Amino acid sequence: QTAILQWVGTAFEDWEQRFPLEQPLREQLRRLKPLIAERAVTDPDFLIPGSHPLHRMLDALQLAAVGWQANLGRVGENLPKQIVKAIDDALACSEGTHSELAPLCTQVVAAVERDLARTVRMAQRTIEVEAGRNRTAQAKRVAANFINAGLLEFPVPTSIGKFLKGPWYESAQLVLLKFGEDSSQWTQMSATTITLLASLRNAETDEDPGGRQRLFELVTQLPKELKRWLLSLEHDREATENAKG
């Protein structure tokens, strides 16, 4: 019995050193040491690692408690209550048998698994939100850099500049978010942007005899292409027509 009790004490110390918990959770789990010591010397099944209900309950509570901090606020306020109740219920079974601890262990393990699953879902949502923010920021940078580069190369009237920095810029972000920078859709929208900017040059000064004709052909297609890529206004027909005009 002395050897068994020393093993229990050493196991607890090693556990607390390798997997430290914040207070008051650490002290709460220590409340189980007398019950564990009692079962260790009276219940032969306790010496089989992982099979006894107390082993499984301790593992579940420890897993749930790792990473908990008092400053988590409402997110973490339920866990201490859950641990206190589980330990109180276990101590209430101290005069009972192995079979009485088994149902309690099943309840605790199930509750911990539900909480862990909820935590995983919350973490995944946080990851998705942050990834969405990063994608949005990246889309804004790419769209702004492309449009600004075009405006530097092609002087444009104020009205066209306002269009490019307004609905067209917003639409460019949507194309990037929906299809990606390497997509054919972004390539086509980029080409439409360049066509719009190039169409503003003075055709009368074009030294290429066929340049004016090609320019007119491009301009003829512009309204259709502009309407196609004005995704930011696609649900507002009047706004689309105004912007295109």
Side-chain angles (χ1 to χ4, degrees):
Q1 290 182 346
T2 300
I4 291 174
L5 292 176
Q6 288 178 343
W7 167 66
V8 170
T10 301
F12 249 90
E13 291 174 3
D14 184 67
W15 198 16
E16 292 181 348
Q17 290 174 5
R18 289 176 178 269
F19 311 102
L21 300 179
E22 295 287 328
Q23 293 288 22
L25 302 189
R26 184 167 66 247
E27 288 299 328
Q28 286 297 326
L29 288 181
R30 284 177 179 172
R31 292 173 56 206
L32 285 175
K33 287 181 73 174
L35 176 59
I36 290 172
E38 176 194 349
R39 292 306 164 101
V41 297
T42 60
D43 188 346
D45 290 340
F46 189 88
L47 303 181
I48 304 174
S51 65
H52 197 277
L54 276 177
H55 286 201
R56 293 164 52 210
M57 189 170 73
L58 269 175
D59 286 342
L61 292 176
Q62 177 77 16
L63 180 62
V66 168
W68 180 89
Q69 295 180 359
N71 61 2
L72 289 175
R74 293 182 61 187
V75 175
E77 67 182 9
N78 184 58
L79 180 62
K81 298 177 184 178
Q82 185 182 43
I83 289 180
V84 168
K85 183 180 186 307
I87 293 173
D88 287 345
D89 290 345
L91 294 176
C93 296
S94 60
E95 300 298 327
T97 63
H98 179 113
S99 60
E100 292 177 339
L101 279 172
L104 173 61
C105 170
T106 300
Q107 294 175 12
V108 171
V109 170
V112 168
E113 288 178 347
R114 286 196 300 270
D115 287 346
L116 290 176
R118 185 170 63 250
T119 301
V120 170
R121 290 195 298 271
M122 291 174 61
Q124 185 59 38
R125 283 198 295 270
T126 301
I127 292 171
E128 291 171 354
V129 168
E130 190 62 28
R133 288 175 179 167
N134 291 337
R135 290 180 63 241
T136 299
Q138 175 67 9
K140 286 183 177 180
R141 285 193 295 270
V142 172
N145 290 338
F146 178 76
I147 291 175
N148 288 337
L151 291 174
L152 287 175
E153 183 178 355
F154 300 95
V156 299
T158 302
S159 59
I160 302 297
K162 184 178 179 180
F163 167 77
L164 289 172
K165 294 177 181 179
W168 196 250
Y169 169 55
E170 295 168 359
S171 298
Q173 294 176 55
L174 293 175
V175 171
L176 287 165
L177 287 171
K178 188 173 183 179
F179 302 107
E181 189 175 356
D182 298 326
S183 65
S184 60
Q185 289 85 351
W186 174 245
T187 300
Q188 293 170 36
M189 184 177 190
S190 301
T192 301
T193 307
I194 298 301
T195 300
L196 172 61
L197 291 168
S199 71
L200 300 172
R201 73 176 186 269
N202 190 346
E204 300 296 336
T205 62
D206 198 329
E207 296 180 358
D208 181 3
R212 185 174 182 180
Q213 180 61 35
R214 286 195 299 271
L215 179 58
F216 286 151
E217 291 174 357
L218 288 174
V219 170
T220 302
Q221 296 297 319
L222 262 180
K224 179 181 178 182
E225 291 299 311
L226 291 175
K227 183 177 181 179
R228 177 186 179 189
W229 297 116
L230 274 172
L231 300 188
S232 63
L233 303 176
E234 63 180 343
H235 300 299
D236 189 336
R237 181 176 180 180
E238 183 178 354
T240 299
E241 292 300 323
N242 288 339
K244 188 178 66 172

